[in-house]
Amino acid sequence: MKCRKTVRSLGLLAVLCAIGTLPLNAQTLENLSADSAHPENVLTYGMGYEQQRFSTLKQINKKNVKKLVPVWALSMENDSGEQAQPLVMDGVMYVSDAKWTVAIDALSGKQIWRTAVDFDPDTPRVVCCGVSNKGVALYNGMVFRGTLDANMVALDQKTGKEIWKTKVSDWKDGYSITGAPLVANGVLMTGVSGADFGVRGFVDGYDPATGKQLWRRYTTAAPDEKGGDTWTVENAYKTGGASTWLTGSYDPVLDLVYWGTGNAAPWNPNSRRGDSLYAASVIAMRPKTGEIVWHYQFTPNDMFDFDATSEMILGDLKIGGKPRNVLMQLDRNGFAYVLDRANGKLLAANPYGKVNWASHIDMETGRPVETGIAKSLRNGESAEIWPSIIGTKNWAHAAFNPHTGLLYANTLHMSSSYKLDTVAPYKPGMRWLGVKDVKIAFEPDAPHGFMAAIDPMTGIAKWKVPLNDSANWSSMLATAGSLIFTGRHSGEFIALDADTGKTIWQFQTSSGINASPITWSMNGKQYVTVMSGFGGLGKRWVGPSAKNIPQGGSVWTFALAND
């Protein structure tokens, strides 16, 4: 490996140069840190700790992508929908959904093993937005995954046999796990879902070898903790939400994990008042201890369901003529944020879609300046809020190309209206919102969403492709071949010209796509893989076209046709 200066983090580059060409099958922490530098494998969620979802592979490029053909497909025997990102290690692919964990021969598509997930059939009643799972983690010969009923499981990587199982929390209290775990500095970390059920959110750290809990970091601050004074109603923090349902990023040089938190609970802020830390925030944590080093709150006193759980993308940007190690997020609240990832200093915050709840972000305080529309909602009136409770971007991940400096994302264009309502007494495992008359609307004669290439510093799109029939709910994948891969709920897997956004290839899969594609290589040949299976939150917003989309999950792998 040549240690050349690139636009990647200089600190991470030092780590990569230090480890050189360690064999990937050693499966060490260094290998995980170097994941994005070894594009033949995909060892981490986000295709690297930075979660850039960018690959340096370029055998498949915009000149030859029209020759892309399917080489195999495998049924997942699942009708609940597929949202996971596969992992690939040494010719074996690992995929998951709520029902199964599966190992596949990556070249032939033949199943190696399949292990069922045993969860209580009543569990789906505490799952907000689709029975799903977003992926697994690999480390030291084990496959780790969360389950719908809030357990963490370790499987033998070669056989799929269960090694240990640890109860993270009680699903009957509203907790579930749908996100992929993260292994950082030897600690297995997981978040949880459940803010809409009034859970107290947290991130847990476990010993990967035994499943023993090492620490728990609650994401609602207790009275004796820093931030505890932001919950001014007694004991409100105990049911304050701030769930952690997507996977964090990790900077191994700073030894900081960046984890996003969800909406505060209930939505009605009068039951908690104050900023409600650390809801709708990013927390930078030490993976060994769970210590919070810094935080930034995107939406203080959240009453909009503006989860900040979306991917925290790590990269380098030139700001003021100098390179800065940054964290970027296209927040659900409609603003594109750039933070210094060492200390959380706000460097940029600009709208990347239609926003009316705030006029701007105050760069001195870092706080949004709310408009009269937001104030009318706080005063008990019904208000039409842009973006909607679904956000300008939901969970489907953006990609970042370090060479162009652009974020590529599927965005949403819809509003919501509702009123604050009397907050019913809290009951474990029951929805707890404190709002009524919730309606979501599309703007007349306007697109439902866009595929866009966004400047993270300005929020302005270099190009933007309108989606007039329905928005996309699949993640983006960027490659050095000047391509962007994504999928449509109607089943098309598509490749875009990264310079223009024009669709230059597509293939109709067997169901809808709302998962995270990857690319990898073996024996000198590049492949692209995506999971297909109609489901998830987006299923509610596809419109009339959903009527003819068949259920059924599967894994599809593509490569260039042999000449």
Side-chain angles (χ1 to χ4, degrees):
M1 177 177 118
K2 294 181 180 179
C3 297
R4 295 176 293 182
K5 186 175 180 180
T6 70
V7 293
R8 295 183 181 275
S9 162
L10 297 180
L12 180 57
L13 181 65
V15 171
L16 301 186
C17 293
I19 65 175
T21 56
L22 286 172
L24 283 171
N25 57 16
Q27 212 172 0
T28 63
L29 293 174
E30 288 82 4
N31 300 144
L32 296 180
S33 297
D35 185 19
S36 56
H38 291 274
E40 64 272 20
N41 286 274
V42 179
L43 301 182
T44 57
Y45 189 78
M47 298 177 60
Y49 276 146
E50 313 97 318
Q51 291 211 25
Q52 294 182 358
R53 299 195 50 76
F54 172 78
S55 174
T56 56
L57 295 176
K58 53 184 177 181
Q59 184 182 87
I60 302 169
N61 55 61
K62 64 181 181 180
K63 293 182 180 179
N64 62 19
V65 70
K66 290 182 180 179
K67 297 181 179 180
L68 205 61
V69 295
V71 294
W72 59 260
L74 179 73
S75 171
M76 287 296 290
E77 299 181 29
N78 172 51
D79 285 342
S80 297
E82 307 293 345
Q83 291 189 335
Q85 178 210 293
L87 298 183
V88 178
M89 178 179 171
D90 296 341
V92 180
M93 182 178 295
Y94 303 90
V95 299
S96 62
D97 54 30
K99 185 178 177 182
W100 302 101
T101 313
V102 184
I104 307 166
D105 183 303
L107 287 185
S108 69
K110 293 182 179 179
Q111 179 178 298
I112 299 172
W113 53 257
R114 181 186 296 260
T115 301
V117 181
D118 180 23
F119 60 84
D120 190 306
D122 287 339
T123 306
R125 74 172 174 81
V126 301
V127 179
C128 157
C129 310
V131 174
S132 67
N133 180 269
K134 293 180 176 63
V136 302
L138 302 176
Y139 181 59
N140 269 358
M142 289 179 280
V143 180
F144 304 97
R145 63 158 298 153
T147 67
L148 209 64
D149 57 352
N151 287 276
M152 184 57 54
V153 179
L155 306 176
D156 184 282
Q157 196 168 335
K158 291 183 179 180
T159 65
K161 292 183 178 179
E162 185 177 300
I163 298 173
W164 56 255
K165 182 177 182 179
T166 296
K167 183 177 180 178
V168 175
S169 198
D170 194 332
W171 72 265
K172 293 178 182 178
D173 290 336
Y175 288 97
S176 59
I177 299 177
T178 58
L182 171 71
V183 177
N185 200 358
V187 176
L188 174 67
M189 302 174 65
T190 184
V192 290
S193 303
D196 288 345
F197 296 85
V199 305
R200 187 183 184 193
F202 59 82
V203 179
D204 268 1
Y206 293 90
D207 178 351
T210 65
K212 178 183 177 182
Q213 186 186 74
L214 301 175
W215 51 260
R216 172 164 291 181
R217 171 53 57 190
Y218 283 107
T219 49
T220 64
D224 59 345
E225 296 174 331
K226 184 178 179 181
D229 59 351
T230 66
W231 301 83
T232 61
V233 175
E234 185 178 7
N235 293 327
Y237 73 96
K238 292 182 179 180
T239 52
S243 52
T244 47
W245 52 274
L246 282 177
T247 311
S249 309
Y250 178 50
D251 184 327
V253 176
L254 294 174
D255 192 32
L256 287 176
V257 168
Y258 308 92
W259 213 290
T261 68
N263 59 282
W267 293 7
N268 187 331
N270 296 322
S271 292
R272 41 188 167 81
R273 298 191 289 274
D275 285 352
S276 306
L277 286 171
Y278 297 92
S281 302
V282 56
I283 53 175
M285 315 162 61
R286 297 288 183 210
K288 284 292 188 183
T289 63
E291 171 199 358
I292 296 178
V293 175
W294 61 258
H295 79 277
Y296 177 84
Q297 189 170 47
F298 300 99
T299 311
N301 192 234
D302 171 45
M303 62 173 176
F304 309 101
D305 194 28
F306 284 160
D307 291 48
T309 54
S310 288
E311 67 287 353
M312 305 293 167
I313 299 175
L314 311 183
D316 284 1
L317 294 177
K318 188 170 283 188
I319 301 174
K322 298 180 180 180
R324 297 286 293 265
N325 300 147
V326 302
L327 176 154
M328 297 165 278
Q329 194 200 46
L330 297 174
D331 196 86
R332 191 150 145 176
N333 71 12
F335 288 91
Y337 292 86
V338 180
L339 307 176
D340 185 302
R341 68 175 182 261
N343 55 32
K345 177 179 172 58
L346 180 63
L347 303 174
N350 294 287
Y352 66 100
K354 185 173 180 179
V355 175
N356 74 357
W357 70 275
S359 60
H360 65 285
I361 307 298
D362 186 312
M363 293 301 294
E364 293 298 320
T365 65
R367 299 177 68 88
V369 178
E370 290 192 355
T371 63
I373 294 173
K375 291 174 183 176
S376 68
L377 184 62
R378 291 193 185 279
N379 290 333
E381 302 172 35
S382 180
E384 184 182 29
I385 302 294
W386 285 86
S388 77
I389 57 175
I390 309 300
T392 304
K393 187 182 83 65
N394 206 267
W395 81 267
H397 302 308
F400 175 72
N401 186 326
H403 304 297
T404 66
L406 296 174
L407 296 167
Y408 303 88
N410 283 310
T411 67
L412 307 171
H413 187 73
M414 59 183 86
S415 65
S416 56
S417 61
Y418 51 96
K419 294 178 67 174
L420 302 184
D421 194 14
T422 301
V423 178
Y426 168 72
K427 293 182 180 179
M430 302 297 291
R431 285 185 184 267
W432 198 52
L433 304 180
V435 297
K436 64 179 180 179
D437 302 331
V438 179
K439 297 176 183 177
I440 293 180
F442 296 100
E443 197 169 36
D445 303 319
H448 288 196
F450 300 89
M451 297 184 290
I454 299 168
D455 183 330
M457 288 297 294
T458 65
I460 297 172
K462 178 185 175 182
W463 52 256
K464 190 161 64 170
V465 178
L467 299 167
N468 295 312
D469 53 349
S470 67
N472 289 349
W473 292 80
S474 166
S475 299
M476 293 286 203
L477 164 66
T479 77
S482 297
L483 292 171
I484 305 296
F485 288 94
T486 192
R488 305 221 66 203
H489 246 321
S490 44
E492 298 93 342
F493 187 45
I494 61 178
L496 310 178
D497 184 326
D499 297 319
T500 65
K502 180 181 178 182
T503 297
I504 52 179
W505 171 88
Q506 71 177 33
F507 177 85
Q508 181 69 46
T509 66
S510 53
S511 186
I513 297 176
N514 59 169
S516 298
I518 61 167
T519 187
W520 50 282
S521 68
M522 193 170 182
N523 300 330
K525 193 173 184 70
Q526 182 182 354
Y527 298 86
V528 183
T529 298
V530 70
M531 297 187 75
S532 172
F534 190 46
L537 178 65
K539 184 178 179 181
R540 304 179 190 178
W541 313 112
V542 176
S545 61
K547 183 173 61 175
N548 293 317
I549 301 173
Q551 302 290 110
S554 54
V555 190
W556 290 81
T557 291
F558 303 83
L560 294 175
N562 294 323
D563 293 329

